[in-house]
């Protein structure tokens, strides 16, 4: 691989991603995933409430890269022209159906779609084509797009098949929550610095350089990670988590992206950390994290991406607190409440299985079994 590609990768980390981590409190995970998705030319879904800096993160990334960013808040009534632009009236008079895309999504390299899952059927098909093929089709018009990455956001997950297809276009998913109360002072200080005029400066890296990184992804050697990759996909499927062949193939791009951002021309088993973010439901997040941690347990992490060095397993204390709440709810509970408790206990049983400490895991399993018997009686 050309040394200039690795140099651009180092500059992206040093001059773009690391400063973003300093600017946004407790958003390191999101920033790292923005970098991996951007270089891999894949899309990222942010799951969390309003007001958690989702839009600010995307705009800050675009500013530091001197890229064109488009963002829009989707509603049930959003029309295609609000995203893609209106038809050019002058050309329409001449009998040509051509979209005027100035300042709209088709001209952006980075796109942020807030409340993504409000998308309606009027824009769904066009949006699917844009995300999957980087092509805008409207009538007979067909246009290739410069899109590198789209970031979608919502505080809920899809509940019907149509929106499930849209959600599926976002290969990586990550939670984006409010910062813990003991760090609120840091959030206020950081937010105030972002308001300052000095924050507006020249870009640290050109968007054309990022496009060069993305074009180099097929040159990354995946062979050193292949066996571990296959075994992890099998383990994920065995655990009952759906991971289609199509998504497994696409995960290779973000594995390669992780390697490139770690300064390597070849992927290692440690780059499989990205699979933590291939979840479909909230309940899968901790199970996936545990499966990934098991896969990475004995690998060399000296040259790993920073995200690969984290031990992310289910928190036994959090599970115990959930069990306390269920135990309290079972006092004088009616039949429907007992059914809800059994459903919740089933989910907690799946999480408890992946707790790292054996004594804590065994204690939780015994307690869950006892509460199940109580709820069923």
């Amino acid at each position: 691989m050309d040394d200039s590609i690795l140099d651009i990768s180092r500059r992206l980390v040093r001059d773009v991603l690391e400063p973003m981590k300093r600017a946004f409190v407790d958003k390191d995970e999101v920033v790292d995933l923005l970098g991996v998705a951007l270089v891999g030319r894949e899309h990222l879904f942010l799951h969390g409430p309003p007001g958690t800096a989702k839009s600010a993160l995307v705009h800050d990334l675009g500013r530091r890269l001197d890229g064109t960013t488009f963002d829009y808040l989707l509603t049930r009534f959003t029309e295609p022209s609000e995203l893609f632009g209106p038809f050019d009236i002058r050309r329409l008079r001449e009998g040509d159906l051509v979209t005027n895309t100035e300042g709209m999504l088709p001209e952006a390299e980075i796109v942020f779609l807030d409340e993504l899952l409000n998308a309606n059927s009027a824009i769904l098909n066009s949006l699917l084509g844009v995300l999957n093929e980087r092509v805008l089709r409207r009538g007979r018009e067909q246009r290739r797009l410069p899109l590198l990455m789209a970031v979608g956001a919502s505080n809920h997950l899809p509940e019907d098949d149509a929106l499930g297809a849209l959600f599926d276009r976002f290969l990586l998913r990550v939670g984006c929550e409010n910062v813990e109360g003991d760090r609120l002072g840091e959030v206020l200080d950081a937010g105030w610095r972002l308001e300052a005029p000095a924050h507006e400066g020249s870009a640290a890296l050109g968007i054309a350089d990022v496009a060069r990184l993305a074009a180099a992804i097929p040159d990354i050697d995946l062979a050193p990670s292949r066996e571990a990759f296959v075994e992890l996909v099998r383990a994920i499927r065995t655990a009952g988590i759906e991971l289609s062949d199509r998504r497994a193939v696409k995960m290779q791009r973000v594995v390669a992206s992780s390697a490139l951002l770690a300064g390597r021309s070849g992927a290692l088993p440690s780059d499989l950390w990205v699979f933590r973010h291939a979840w479909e439901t909230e309940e899968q997040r901790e199970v996936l994290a545990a499966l990934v941690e098991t896969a990475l347990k004995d690998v060399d992490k000296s040259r790993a991406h920073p995200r690969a060095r984290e031990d992310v397993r289910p928190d036994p204390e959090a599970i115990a607190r959930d069990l306390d709440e269920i135990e309290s709810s079972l006092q004088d509970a009616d039949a429907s409440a007992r059914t809800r408790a059994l459903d919740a206990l089933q989910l907690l049983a799946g999480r408890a299985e992946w707790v790292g400490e054996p004594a804590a895991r065994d204690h939780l399993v015994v307690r869950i079994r006892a509460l199940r018997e109580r709820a069923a009686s």
Side-chain angles (χ1 to χ4, degrees), residues 303-324:
R303 301 177 61 205
H305 188 285
R307 288 293 119 201
R309 301 189 187 114
E310 292 189 335
D311 184 351
V312 186
R313 284 184 179 269
D315 180 2
E317 295 295 330
I319 296 175
R321 287 193 295 272
D322 289 343
L323 292 175
D324 289 341

Side-chain angles (χ1 to χ4, degrees), residues 257-373:
S257 179
S258 169
L260 190 52
L261 289 174
R264 291 182 268 105
S265 59
L268 299 174
S270 61
D271 293 307
L272 302 182
W273 68 268
V274 294
F275 275 90
R276 292 180 189 138
H277 301 280
W279 48 267
E280 298 284 330
T281 66
E282 285 275 14
E283 294 75 28
Q284 294 175 358
R285 291 169 67 169
E286 287 184 328
V287 175
L288 265 178
L291 288 168
V292 171
E293 190 57 35
T294 299
L296 302 187
K297 182 175 58 176
D298 298 320
V299 305
D300 178 12
K301 297 183 181 178
S302 60
R303 301 177 61 205
H305 188 285
R307 288 293 119 201
R309 301 189 187 114
E310 292 189 335
D311 184 351
V312 186
R313 284 184 179 269
D315 180 2
E317 295 295 330
I319 296 175
R321 287 193 295 272
D322 289 343
L323 292 175
D324 289 341
E325 291 183 9
I326 292 173
E327 187 171 12
S328 297
S329 73
L330 286 175
Q331 296 179 8
D332 302 321
D334 59 18
S336 61
R338 290 177 181 276
T339 299
R340 290 194 298 272
L342 284 169
D343 290 341
L345 287 166
Q346 181 176 354
L347 295 175
L348 289 174
R351 292 169 58 192
E353 180 182 349
W354 300 102
V355 169
E357 172 57 41
R361 180 174 63 246
D362 293 343
H363 172 76
L364 291 170
V365 168
V366 169
R367 192 174 173 199
I368 289 169
R369 186 181 302 124
L371 285 173
R372 274 177 160 173
E373 291 174 357

Side-chain angles (χ1 to χ4, degrees), residues 204-221:
L205 191 69
I207 198 73
D209 287 326
V210 178
R212 284 188 65 195
L213 286 181
I217 285 293
D219 296 330
I220 298 293
D221 182 11

Side-chain angles (χ1 to χ4, degrees), residues 20-29 177-193 307 310:
M20 286 183 67
K21 292 179 184 180
R22 294 192 293 269
F24 292 90
V25 178
D26 200 26
K27 293 293 186 286
D28 290 12
E29 182 179 42
E177 305 293 338
N178 286 302
V179 174
E180 295 293 334
D182 59 356
R183 302 194 68 182
L184 182 57
E186 295 177 61
V187 173
L188 296 176
D189 290 341
W192 191 248
R193 287 194 297 271
R307 288 293 119 201
E310 292 189 335

Side-chain angles (χ1 to χ4, degrees), residues 128-147:
L128 289 173
V130 164
L131 294 172
N132 203 41
E133 304 169 53
R134 268 76 170 183
V135 172
L136 174 64
R137 294 185 179 87
R138 296 183 78 184
R140 291 184 297 175
E141 183 181 11
Q142 182 168 306
R143 182 182 307 209
R144 301 292 306 180
L145 305 182
L147 178 66

Side-chain angles (χ1 to χ4, degrees), residues 115-129:
E115 296 302 336
L116 173 77
L117 300 179
N118 282 337
N120 57 55
S121 57
I123 63 172
L124 197 55
N125 287 337
S126 295
L127 202 51
L128 289 173

